[in-house]
Amino acid sequence: MAFLQLKNIKKSFYLGKKEFPVLKDISVNFERGEFVSILGESGGGKTTLLNIIGGLDSQYEGDVLLDNTSVKSGSEKGLDAYRSKTIGFIFQSFHLISHLTILQNVMVPLEMSNLSHSKRVKRAQDLLKQVGLEEHMSKHPGQLSGGQKQRVAIARALANDPDIIIADEPTGALDSQNTDEILDILNDISKQGKLVIAVTHSDKVANYGTRVIHIVDGQVDSDTQLRDKAPDVEKKVSDAKVTHLSFRNTFSMALNHMRYYLGRNLLIIFGSMIGIFSVIFMLGLGNGVTGYITSEMNKTVNPTAIQVTKNVTSSDPTGADIDPSDINITDKNEKTLKKIDNVNSVEEGYFVQGAKLVANDKSAQEQFFQTFNKTIKTNDIKQGTKPGKNEILITKAQAKKFNKKDYKSMIGKKVNLFLTTTNADKQPVQVQRELTVSGIIKSGTSSISYNTLKSMFTDQGIKIQPNFVTVNVDKTQDVKAVQTKIKNYEHKDAKGKTVKTYQITGVGAIIDTLNTYLQLAFNVLAAIAGISLLVSAIMIIVVLYISVSERTKEIGILRAIGARRKDIRNLFISEAFLLGLFSSILAVGVAYLVQMGANSISMSALKMPIIDITTGNAIFGILVSVIISLLAALAPSRRAAKLDPRETLTDE
Ligand SMILES: Nc1ncnc2c1ncn2[C@@H]1O[C@H](COP(=O)(O)OP(=O)(O)O)[C@@H](O)[C@H]1O
Ligand SMILES: [Mg+2]
């Protein structure tokens, strides 16, 4: 039983419907140890036949049997394995991978074996010694002569210790001295018990082998034994198992390629970095600015206190049709508010427009006077305490007005408070009382307790109900929920229309809306910055397409030595992944640097960091970048995986 059998191989190419038969019924047997030359005219179908033998082509009639097993009947996976384990390819134009060193070139097929890295290096070095290139191992192919390149290609073909070496015009590009050297090496290989099949159109080369098969017009014209084949040698069982390219190896190959074209890849990385950086920066600026505003606001108001008034609608712009009692907060209202989850207390309050304070013959006006409540920060009372019965809290500005030299001495002094209101007949009435200063507040307004105010009014025969309340929430996190609940209460007005019952006023409500809008604005800015990501995606697509077209030969080689389509796809996906990863890591680094710079300036100017990039923002940036790169890789890597190795490996 012959080692390798070709049985009735027929192959035609079609141009439209027209058939061009190239191989017409070829049947040949081969043995180990033979060095077979296939001789024929140019265009006679020699390459076509080699592609069939080498498992690069499965579209033919007839069969190729290896140890009596058909190589064709297997799946694509089977053919991939056949190419990587059994076949070693040598081409007329060498097809070395230019961005890899000589050593790395020989190691490419070994990347598909289960050998350890050090064993791979050792094996590649041994093979290069065998072909006499130990001194050139760290050179790139461009630095070698033709004969040397072909010797590298031979070392590569031998890497996985295949049983069959097929060489398509291996000396076609070489001078006569190099031709002799290469033929000697091929002869040696056959002596090691391997089957060497070399295609040539030169009689001189053909006569070097142990046997010449002459193909004419797609058929075997003559089959001549020139000398004895090498005796069978006991085949050493190699411990190396051929698998496929591991993910790690595709990664390191992608890295190698990126390193070789470093300048170009750095530009791409820099370009994509700008997009990712802008997104992360905008998000961080959004956090910083809203954080700054919130903390500034919280310095003057208590964040857990919500001021609530009645929502009164008026059809008259002057509000003349509003019944003043409509704005009163009833006991029933208070009970409803108290029942809301997480509400600790509801504090009654009253505001009046226009107040006058008189002391030491000097007077101060207050536009908007309200009773003391929890929205006022007690921390802001720098001297004294909050107002108790018949006491008043005044502002620092007012205290200075009353006593320029020593404003602090105003504490304990008397101040006359005048308030204007209307009585039951809607006639304006002035209410007045002498009060003791309990404390001085840094900013804001002066205030007295609700009970003091109520008794001032009662003295004048005016009955009042609170016209606002302060709802105190247990913690800041619950404020939003309580606010929403209050805003959602509804009732039917006099005309039967459903209207909101309450209104939230005070600074707390403003911060909340302001922050919502600010956050929105920064998210929109981040999204606009995200458009530059589209640019980086396009850049990556372009660079990968360029990479694919530059590397068609490499892809062909990888496929010829058994790489699966999937491996090729992974190679380009890895490259895109690395581009995305590197640019986003760089972007995060730059963003943190800019944050450091900007914050050191804002710390001295505002006493607060203005940019706050969270770990979440950074991770988001990296994820977006990697996902965009992977999406960009889809089409180019599919194209690479679809390339037909036979077409990419033609020798023009
Ligand atoms: N992919 C293809 N499509 C159509 N015709 C092809 C293709 N490949 C080879 N041929 C034709 O098949 C014939 C044999 O080609 P080839 O095997 O490359 O010849 P050789 O290697 O002996 O020079 C030529 O006429 C060539 O034009
Ligand atoms: Mg050819």
Side-chain angles (χ1 to χ4, degrees), residues 158-224:
L158 291 172
N160 275 332
D161 198 20
D163 290 321
I164 304 170
I165 297 284
I166 55 182
D168 196 352
E169 313 243 12
T171 59
L174 302 179
D175 59 27
S176 67
Q177 196 203 325
N178 275 314
T179 297
D180 289 343
E181 280 176 24
I182 295 298
L183 290 173
D184 272 340
I185 294 173
L186 290 177
N187 194 38
D188 284 345
I189 293 169
S190 70
K191 279 189 194 154
Q192 292 163 19
K194 297 188 191 301
L195 165 61
V196 177
I197 304 173
V199 150
T200 183
H201 58 264
S202 140
D203 288 327
K204 181 187 165 245
V205 172
N207 287 330
Y208 204 94
T210 63
R211 174 180 165 196
V212 187
I213 297 172
H214 199 172
I215 290 183
V216 177
D217 197 19
Q219 280 172 316
V220 175
D221 182 57
S222 67
D223 186 344
T224 322

Side-chain angles (χ1 to χ4, degrees), residues 229-283:
K229 72 175 185 72
D232 275 349
V233 273
E234 186 90 29
K235 190 171 169 8
K236 278 185 282 154
V237 181
S238 147
D239 56 344
K241 263 229 240 32
V242 181
T243 54
H244 50 81
L245 273 180
S246 71
F247 220 76
R248 216 191 98 217
N249 283 323
T250 21
F251 252 86
S252 77
M253 285 174 76
L255 255 180
N256 267 327
H257 184 253
M258 286 173 72
R259 250 206 315 254
Y260 193 74
Y261 293 105
L262 193 63
R264 175 167 91 198
N265 283 306
L266 282 182
L267 275 178
I268 298 294
I269 287 173
F270 187 74
S272 329
M273 181 276 280
I274 295 173
I276 302 286
F277 163 78
S278 340
V279 171
I280 297 175
F281 180 78
M282 282 305 166
L283 293 174

